């Protein structure tokens, strides 16, 4: 069922990088900037389940301040999502495709990869894990390089923005866990 927020059916994958799925493992592929930010967001099974739902149904992203136009209400492999950063005419559209998901007893999350028109090339994952000691941790992992002139012009600011975004994701989930 479509809506005005529905980016439409997924075309055959047009991902802009060959290392699809590489955020599942470490080390990340060479030739890219790497990011790995871990944030403790709370404790216990209930927190893990709530945080996992917030990641999978896009609430975390929206609460961080980005717009999400997704074909599905939850992250689904092979389906498109358009992430919007900024406001009005300054809004940057970043088309992606969900490339993998995980829903296990102690891990929940997904990764999306870049499609043509995205200012970067690469992949980013958001995984909530219930650690053996009961801690709940969000890990944001990414590899990317600039694909657009303005991304290259941003130079060292791009990785700073990516790290700040990953930390903000963790803070949002932490607030929900204690709120």
């Amino acid at each position: 069922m479509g809506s005005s927020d529905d980016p439409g059916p997924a075309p055959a994958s047009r991902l802009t990088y060959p290392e699809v799925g590489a955020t599942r493992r470490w080390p990340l592929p060479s030739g890219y900037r790497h990011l790995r930010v871990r944030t403790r967001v709370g404790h216990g099974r209930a927190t893990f389940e709530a945080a996992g739902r917030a990641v999978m149904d896009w609430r975390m992203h929206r609460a961080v301040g980005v717009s999400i136009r997704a074909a599905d209400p939850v992250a689904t492999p092979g389906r498109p999502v358009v992430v919007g950063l900024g406001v009005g005419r300054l809004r940057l559209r970043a088309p992606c495709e969900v490339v993998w998901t995980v829903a296990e007893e102690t891990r929940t999350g997904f990764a999306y990869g870049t499609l043509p028109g995205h200012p970067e090339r690469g992949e980013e994952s958001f995984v909530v894990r219930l650690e053996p000691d009961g801690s709940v941790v969000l890990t944001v992992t990414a590899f990317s390089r600039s694909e657009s002139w303005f991304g290259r012009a941003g130079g060292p600011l791009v990785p700073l923005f990516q790290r700040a975004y990953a930390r903000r994701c963790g803070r949002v989930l932490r607030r929900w866990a204690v709120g």
Side-chain angles (χ1 to χ4, degrees):
M1 181 171 289
S3 74
S4 62
D5 286 338
D6 187 341
S13 181
R14 300 175 292 136
L15 294 163
T16 59
Y17 63 101
E19 302 90 351
V20 176
T23 52
R24 284 185 181 261
R25 57 194 169 277
W26 197 261
L28 295 172
S30 62
Y32 297 89
R33 290 183 310 270
H34 295 167
L35 173 77
R36 189 173 196 115
V37 175
R38 290 176 42 93
T39 306
R40 186 177 187 279
V41 297
H43 190 85
R45 168 81 38 202
T47 298
F48 166 73
E49 291 174 0
R53 280 190 305 274
V55 166
M56 295 301 291
D57 69 11
W58 311 109
R59 278 181 293 152
M60 177 192 72
H61 282 73
R62 288 182 174 113
V64 168
V66 299
S67 69
I68 296 290
R69 288 189 321 133
D72 298 293
V74 297
T76 304
R79 300 296 286 160
V81 58
V82 178
V83 180
L85 307 166
V87 293
R89 292 184 158 222
L90 298 178
R91 180 169 301 277
L92 175 70
R93 292 173 31 98
C96 300
E97 179 180 302
V98 177
V99 295
W100 60 263
T101 61
V102 61
E104 299 172 348
E105 189 68 22
T106 60
R107 287 187 329 129
T108 300
F110 74 94
Y112 49 46
T114 57
L115 291 172
H118 196 294
E120 294 286 306
R121 173 183 293 219
E123 188 173 294
E124 187 168 26
S125 68
F126 306 86
V127 177
V128 177
R129 182 179 172 96
L130 179 61
E131 300 289 344
D133 70 356
S135 296
V136 178
V137 176
L138 169 69
T139 303
V140 178
T141 304
F143 62 91
S144 64
R145 64 177 174 241
S146 293
E147 184 70 5
S148 65
W149 68 266
F150 52 88
R152 288 187 293 277
L157 296 178
V158 173
L160 292 174
F161 170 77
Q162 289 174 320
R163 187 165 298 283
Y165 179 76
R167 288 181 176 148
R168 183 156 165 76
C169 288
R171 285 193 306 272
V172 161
L173 285 184
R174 185 182 307 128
R175 274 198 309 268
W176 285 346
V178 298

